[in-house]
Amino acid sequence: MKKFLKEEPQIYFSNDNKKIIKVIKYFCKGCGICIHFCPKKVLDWDKDFKVFAKNPNDCIACYLCELMCPDFAIFVEKEK
Amino acid sequence: MKKFLKEEPQIYFSNDNKKIIKVIKYFCKGCGICIHFCPKKVLDWDKDFKVFAKNPNDCIACYLCELMCPDFAIFVEKEK
Amino acid sequence: MRQLLSGNEATAIGAIKAGIRFFAGYPITPSTEIAEYMARELPKIGGVFIQMEDEIASINAVIGASASGMKAMTATSGPGFSLMQEGIGYACMAEIPCLIVNVQRGGPATGLPTKPSQSDVMQTRWGTHGDHPIVVFYPYNVLESFYLTVKAINTAYFLRVPVILLTDEIIAHMREAVELPEEVEIYQPKRKKKSPEEFLYYSEETIYDSEVAYFGEGYRIHISGLTHREDGFPTNKPEVIKRKLDRLKRKIEDNKEKLWDLEYQDIGAEVCLISYGISARTALEAKYIFEKEEKRALGYIRLKTIWPFPDKPLRALLKSAKKVIVVEMNQGQLINEIERAISPEIEIIGVQRYDGEIITPEEILAVI
Amino acid sequence: MRQLLSGNEATAIGAIKAGIRFFAGYPITPSTEIAEYMARELPKIGGVFIQMEDEIASINAVIGASASGMKAMTATSGPGFSLMQEGIGYACMAEIPCLIVNVQRGGPATGLPTKPSQSDVMQTRWGTHGDHPIVVFYPYNVLESFYLTVKAINTAYFLRVPVILLTDEIIAHMREAVELPEEVEIYQPKRKKKSPEEFLYYSEETIYDSEVAYFGEGYRIHISGLTHREDGFPTNKPEVIKRKLDRLKRKIEDNKEKLWDLEYQDIGAEVCLISYGISARTALEAKYIFEKEEKRALGYIRLKTIWPFPDKPLRALLKSAKKVIVVEMNQGQLINEIERAISPEIEIIGVQRYDGEIITPEEILAVI
Amino acid sequence: MRKEIRIAGTGGQGIIFAAIVLAEAAGIYENKYVTQIQSYGPEARGGASKADIIISDQPIYFPQTQELDILVCLSQQSLDEYVKKLKEKGTLFIDSYYCKNFNKEKIKTYAFPFSLVAKEKLGRELFANIILLGSLARFTKIVSIESLKKAISHRVAPQFLAINEKALMLGYEIDQL
Amino acid sequence: MRKEIRIAGTGGQGIIFAAIVLAEAAGIYENKYVTQIQSYGPEARGGASKADIIISDQPIYFPQTQELDILVCLSQQSLDEYVKKLKEKGTLFIDSYYCKNFNKEKIKTYAFPFSLVAKEKLGRELFANIILLGSLARFTKIVSIESLKKAISHRVAPQFLAINEKALMLGYEIDQL
Amino acid sequence: MKEEIKNYLRLDERFPHILCPGCGIGTIANILIRTFNELNLDKNNICLVSGIGCSSRIPGYIDCDTFHTLHGRAIPCAIGVKLARPYLKVIIIGGDGDILAIGLSHFIHAARRNIDLTVIIVNNYNYGMTGGQVSPTTPKGKFTYTTPYGNLEEEFNIYEISKSAGAIFFARSTTYHVTHLKKVLKKALTKKGFSVVEILSQCPTLYGRLNRLGDAVKMLEEFKNRTIDISLIKEPGEIPSDKIIIGILLDREREEYCEKYERLRKAINEKRD
Amino acid sequence: MKEEIKNYLRLDERFPHILCPGCGIGTIANILIRTFNELNLDKNNICLVSGIGCSSRIPGYIDCDTFHTLHGRAIPCAIGVKLARPYLKVIIIGGDGDILAIGLSHFIHAARRNIDLTVIIVNNYNYGMTGGQVSPTTPKGKFTYTTPYGNLEEEFNIYEISKSAGAIFFARSTTYHVTHLKKVLKKALTKKGFSVVEILSQCPTLYGRLNRLGDAVKMLEEFKNRTIDISLIKEPGEIPSDKIIIGILLDREREEYCEKYERLRKAINEKRD
Ligand SMILES: Cc1ncc(C[n+]2csc(CCOP(=O)(O)OP(=O)(O)O)c2C)c(N)n1
Ligand SMILES: Cc1ncc(C[n+]2csc(CCOP(=O)(O)OP(=O)(O)O)c2C)c(N)n1
Ligand code: SF4
Ligand code: SF4
Ligand code: SF4
Ligand code: SF4
Ligand code: SF4
Ligand code: SF4
Ligand SMILES: [Mg+2]
Ligand SMILES: [Mg+2]
């Protein structure tokens, strides 16, 4: 099976570029779970009722959004 | 449903006529349960490998034979 | 009162009107609305709704309730219907009336759960093991879903057999505006007059419309799925077994004329469409398009009774036909019966579809 | 080596010879000896025997084992066979080969557990929901119980379908002296050559004798009972579904000639007996009695393949027949197929029995 | 006169309910022949993605829509998928709040932000379906607003009747907002 | 030559085993055509009440006995039930220990107390079935005693072979006891 | 024959019954009708339901409403009877295979729902009717025709399963302990809700023979020697591992299903008034 | 997308998957493949088996051997797979209806046999796939389309049933407790024998809506607030009755079936040599 994404993820960087939040927008169903449970209120809805990183700088890379998302739509990377 | 027995039971009396052991011989399959568990060894096999009361006088009317028989073949009555 | 109802709702309403007071079932698309309706309504009228742990439990609970004198039914679709087969056979053998609704979807296996199909037609006849004639009705609109449900239940109790109401996803889910009667005629089985000592579970004298007794009425009946005698107790005696199985057959054979229900138009025409259920609606549409365009009649026969198969009436209706087009949503099931029933001189064509889409009038027109 | 074996034993031996290494089943008279044989023998040869909690579990365990590359089977009788219907449909849909032995007893329901019957013939064809062609073989003696088992298993794997070996209480329990071969030819499915990335669960290019991959081989296959695409994943697309269901049909349609197996004698005669299984033995006996007494030939055809129904060969064989007598232990099942298959000019009579006793030669002679 | 209507969108938008109300208005309160069918996803979960209504003066046999007279789309996806089923002279209704890409020229199109109106005027988006019914009555005359009112009062619990009627009228007068 | 033989009695008397040995002796060691079938009670419990063997020079089609050439009865009940199936010139074997009522005149009858012999000479009644096979060989010649021996050695575990052979010979010489 | 026994039997030409000599199932039938008698149960108000198996043949001989259903399906059939006629005393009797193999799911769900049924499980450690195959209660290592090398599977603890499923009553007895059996049956039959009685029963013809346990008498001796009554156990730890506990192991209360249903019906109708 | 995630997914045009917005089943799939990853499980050696239901749709998206069987029949199918290929890690995933209603008997017998399988029960308290009907885990009083007046039946305690059936491991977690969930899944997947993980999962579309529980977020908040980890409980008595216990409730050892079978085969062949 060839693996593919129909669309490229949306990428949000923190100012220091150490944290990256990726959203596969066409996977996101806008359930709001990540938005609600993000401890730092990093995320919010965009105009299409999908998620976007409003405050990427606040992200502490706790990965909760990534782990709780039911739709494989959000991923967080942190430079080590 | 009309209830019937094809054959009359065999009847064994104790000498004082106070205890009666009835065997429905054609029901008896000769399993020996009553014979074995009778505390007074009242019962034994007859020549057809069915049960008969050998020592009806010894019967103490404990009803064990009657209760344990799988074939409704033996009944004990005691005058009160 | 005119109402907008789906086929499933009409079936549920018809069932209650015909006296059903017990429903045991297990959810399955596209039949679930019947169960849901019953869950709401039965407790209001002293009835019982119970969702069982599976379809096997459901059909057996239905059998138990019916044997206890509560008119009983279940509803399911292909996978559940397959699981019910053993129980349906039991109901045949033990002569326990009940209604089983099979709302067909695509198969085999899980298949196409949300799409219509007519591919269980042969299974309704031959799904369980052993020799077992059966009665199957098939409505083609919402109103008929009501009336055939009533007929199915009355038939079940008149013959003491399980009866199957076969429908399909479209007929079940489609809503139409209908006017239902307040009351329907209900067949009431003759109640036993004999004493418990004389009463027989079934009597060889009356094959149908017979006296019945239920559990809990002091008749101390015995019901068994083994081959049995009139009093219900098991037997291995060939002559008794033969009479019993002949009886099961005769119930339906003797009443064929009563059970057969067909609708037809313009049967004098050279070409005749034969269909049932959702496909018959397409056939009718095709007929009118054809007649408008071609200015000549097209014959049309619709089967409401699938089993016992109406071979005799079909033969009679098709006396002057040259060509018959059998329209059904499967790989060709009832067409085989039709082939056997009618004169070998008549050409037979099947218009079949089994991809989840209903047949269109154009597909029929293309082969006329 | 000549041995005295029962039909059930011969079936079990044949199955092992043909490569069966997995048996999951549930006891039921008159099939149980097959399970018992497997319980003794399979662990000796690296195989697995497991008695499951019921027949539904059994057929599904068989499906799981077969999908994992172990040749697998089960054996049952009417009630269990009814319970297996959903699973059989799954095996059809998901293209999982396996052998199901149905040793018939009297039905419906619990029926006549210890007596022979041939009343599941139509159920083997139409027992599960949905459109599903099937292959069914029926032996008539102990030796053939062996050979047809082997053929059934090879067919199952060649076509990737469940195959049913239908027998009856007499054929299963009767002992005869037979000489079995040491080795039999075993069909081995083509092993996948494509990489897991390119491999398809089934390919529309090869309808049978196709490449297969099993669980645990690194192909990461997906098997589903939903209508599905070549890669095994569900689809609702009408054109894909049609191709899939056509494929299921074509597997068997295209191989009819290979699957059909009939035995016949004196087919030039005016009257011809047609039968199968235990009833065919009576028919043969009747034939010889008749010929001895009447000094003229009596035609005789025996079906070893019940499904796909051998309509074409029958038609050909019966070209000069005037009268056909169909001998079967049921209320008339295969006679309906025969009626449809052969010329309407030929008179058809059924000799039927369904009281637990096998048909006697005299009953046949009486209608010639 | 046979009119084929489709209402389409995503689950949760009350599409079937709107279809039922429309069918009931025409079938019960205007004594027309109607059929209403819907299609849905795996087994029966969630809502439907589309619901079709046929309204006719004559008995309806073939219950499937073939060429739509009216198409109502509450989502972009449904618009993309079904617009080709619309007759050349058909009428398109779209929720402009969700459907951004469409070609207004080719077909007669009514585009209103039903969902936005619902949210803003009634506090909850879920009234969009009722609002659109009001507009449908106004612009297509396929049923009268009175019949819709009756149908709604039959289908809706008394405590929600007022707000639903308000929604209906909002739709009926949507161009005057 | 088609010979129809029935062995009948009650469950636990080893009737099927005797039938199998007999069929094997004829079918395997004397190369005859044989069929052996039995009937049994509800489902499959207990033993059989009767087992039929057909031995023939020609293929056997119809596998059911119609008129018995030989009937062996190990119980009174089976004797009462099946004696009418015996041919006029047929041979009857009975276990005189269990079958008391029979009419010796009408048919050729061999009556020996097989069970008693088994109990007295071998300590266990369950050898009655093998003893009767020995007698069968001796008096009917339906199979040879050698073939029976071979069949027994094939069917019986080595440690029980000697006693079974002894039983066989006891039967073969039963009139000399 | 005593009148009170005769009263509950269908004495006809089908007697003697079809069970093997010495089979414990006959004893169970015997004690069952004595229980009916002592409880003064009207035979017109009893419905005895069974599936398929040797044990399931009991109802056919008892003079009340009797229902010989499919293999494994006694419980759903009984549920149908009970819900339709809640006033009936509905009793299920069946084998370990019938109730705990093919019928297990029904058993557990009926317990969960707490439907007023008494289930009598005749545990003869194997499938009698089909000729001696392994069952969910065959002890590990024991021989049957489908475990020719000894059973690999762990057997069921019917008590544990019954308890966690939600049964309100569980007792175990044997065909040796006839008076004890009568006592626990009496108790079970007076409970309102789902009650279970497991009865260890000898199958000398198959299980006994295949495991060289001797005849019926020997097997009953074993029941006598291997069991210990729960009332005699003071400390939970003190039960020797080779002993089988008999007696009432579970006795509790929980609202019954038919009563709940009746309450629901009333509530709906009151609301509508 | 992260490579380790991508590795275990069948990323094709079937994404986004068919589950409703906010459905917990997606989260479970997410955590499951992370568990595979952290355990370093070779995806060629995993067989994921399911029945029919929303939960049963998970395998179709995961890149290993996957087996979408009939409703309720995942366990017997999995048994076939496991016995044929004992080296495979065979995991069953299914809904409360699939495994505990129609499939219950298979579940219990597999536990009794202690076959090396891990069963993941997605408990969303109702039948999702068919549109919201009562299931064996629907709490008493709750609304579904077949309990329009509130559920009359007592719900299952899956832990009790698993334990008495013979499971060697049982843990409960929720879709809120994602790291906890990963931890217990890891543990379950490393056990040899029959292990069970019950995951409470939100079905906002049906169960949530019918019981006015709010959206997915609200339902997750409820999981957070209503649960208590077993490791925090000191005294058995101290658990508030409205709390749901999560964590590892059972962890024991018992010989596994495939190993026993292998031992049997060896024993037979040694005897024959
Ligand atoms: C569906 C079905 N499967 C199998 C059978 C065969 N069968 C009859 S009784 C029985 C089991 C008997 O064992 P148990 O329930 O323990 O009763 P017992 O005879 O031991 O009292 C089986 C498997 C059947 N009748 N129906
Ligand atoms: C034999 C059979 N009966 C019924 C169904 C219909 N059906 C599909 S899924 C399902 C239950 C779904 O509930 P659950 O197992 O809890 O899974 P969920 O959807 O909640 O995840 C049912 C009854 C079926 N497919 N097959
Ligand atoms: S949890 Fe996932 S699906 Fe839900 S809003 Fe966030 S990214 Fe979208
Ligand atoms: S990683 Fe944690 S802090 Fe960062 S966006 Fe996700 S939930 Fe918020
Ligand atoms: S217990 Fe009954 S059957 Fe057994 S020997 Fe005694 S009377 Fe006869
Ligand atoms: S009543 Fe007691 S003492 Fe008397 S015969 Fe029976 S068992 Fe023996
Ligand atoms: S086989 Fe066993 S259980 Fe069945 S009747 Fe005989 S002894 Fe009893
Ligand atoms: S119906 Fe419920 S369980 Fe199913 S996908 Fe939707 S939210 Fe999830
Ligand atoms: Mg048993
Ligand atoms: Mg669920």
Side-chain angles (χ1 to χ4, degrees), chain A residues 21 38-40 42-43 58-65 76:
Chain A
I21 301 172
C38 169
K40 294 294 164 188
V42 175
L43 311 166
D58 297 350
C59 174
I60 55 169
C62 69
Y63 301 114
L64 212 56
C65 54
V76 176

Side-chain angles (χ1 to χ4, degrees), chain H residues 3-228:
Chain H
E3 275 313 313
E4 66 263 30
I5 302 300
K6 211 168 167 176
N7 176 39
Y8 286 106
L9 281 183
R10 286 167 167 150
L11 268 188
D12 63 10
E13 83 291 350
R14 291 173 304 126
F15 275 86
H17 57 55
I18 62 153
L19 304 170
C20 301
C23 175
I25 299 172
T27 305
I28 295 170
N30 184 346
I31 300 302
L32 184 63
I33 60 179
R34 286 167 200 269
T35 312
F36 292 168
N37 181 46
E38 293 187 16
L39 288 174
N40 236 318
L41 290 183
D42 179 353
K43 64 184 184 175
N44 291 324
N45 281 334
I46 306 170
C47 186
L48 215 54
V49 189
S50 70
I52 299 294
C54 296
S55 332
S56 295
R57 284 306 192 99
I58 289 185
Y61 297 104
I62 298 189
D63 195 14
C64 59
D65 280 326
T66 50
F67 199 5
H68 190 208
T69 73
L70 291 166
H71 185 43
R73 314 308 170 193
I75 290 176
C77 283
I79 288 176
V81 175
K82 183 74 193 178
L83 294 179
R85 304 238 182 208
Y87 62 86
L88 284 181
K89 188 91 229 150
V90 182
I91 304 162
I92 291 113
I93 180 150
D96 38 298
D98 192 70
I99 295 178
L100 300 174
I102 191 166
L104 179 67
S105 172
H106 311 311
F107 176 78
I108 293 183
H109 285 285
R112 179 173 65 82
R113 297 183 182 113
N114 196 26
I115 302 183
D116 183 31
L117 302 168
T118 298
V119 182
I120 300 171
I121 304 177
V122 178
N123 183 1
N124 60 8
Y125 299 111
N126 81 145
Y127 288 11
M129 184 61 96
T130 44
Q133 295 80 25
V134 70
S135 108
T137 59
T138 307
K140 207 163 145 181
K142 292 293 177 188
F143 298 99
T144 70
Y145 281 115
T146 46
T147 54
Y149 307 108
N151 183 18
L152 292 182
E153 300 176 7
E154 212 90 16
E155 72 265 27
F156 252 146
N157 186 325
I158 310 181
Y159 159 64
E160 293 286 350
I161 286 281
S162 303
K163 189 175 77 171
S164 49
I168 58 157
F169 180 90
F170 180 92
R172 189 183 290 124
S173 190
T174 85
T175 45
Y176 168 76
H177 299 86
V178 281
T179 45
H180 177 269
L181 173 58
K182 189 146 51 84
K183 202 181 70 192
V184 300
L185 278 175
K186 253 166 140 171
K187 189 75 205 281
L189 287 175
T190 46
K191 295 287 295 184
K192 184 112 200 143
F194 193 82
S195 57
V196 183
V197 180
E198 174 188 0
I199 309 173
L200 309 183
S201 175
Q202 72 276 19
C203 167
T205 306
L206 297 162
Y207 186 72
R209 191 166 53 78
L210 288 169
N211 290 286
R212 300 170 188 268
L213 303 175
D215 60 5
V217 164
K218 278 235 184 75
M219 293 179 83
L220 285 167
E221 282 286 349
E222 165 104 352
F223 287 154
K224 176 170 141 195
N225 298 329
R226 277 204 46 204
T227 48
I228 177 163

Side-chain angles (χ1 to χ4, degrees), chain A residues 10-60:
Chain A
Q10 313 263 343
I11 305 184
Y12 307 89
F13 294 91
S14 61
N15 285 347
D16 59 5
N17 276 356
K18 286 202 170 149
K19 273 157 303 193
I20 308 171
I21 301 172
K22 291 187 187 172
V23 176
I24 306 173
K25 199 169 154 182
Y26 82 102
F27 279 15
C28 173
K29 291 179 184 145
C31 68
I33 290 175
C34 60
I35 300 171
H36 179 85
F37 288 102
C38 169
K40 294 294 164 188
K41 300 289 157 229
V42 175
L43 311 166
D44 205 348
W45 279 287
D46 71 4
K47 62 168 195 346
D48 301 319
F49 313 100
K50 307 285 168 102
V51 95
F52 84 109
K54 195 171 162 188
N55 314 307
N57 282 333
D58 297 350
C59 174
I60 55 169

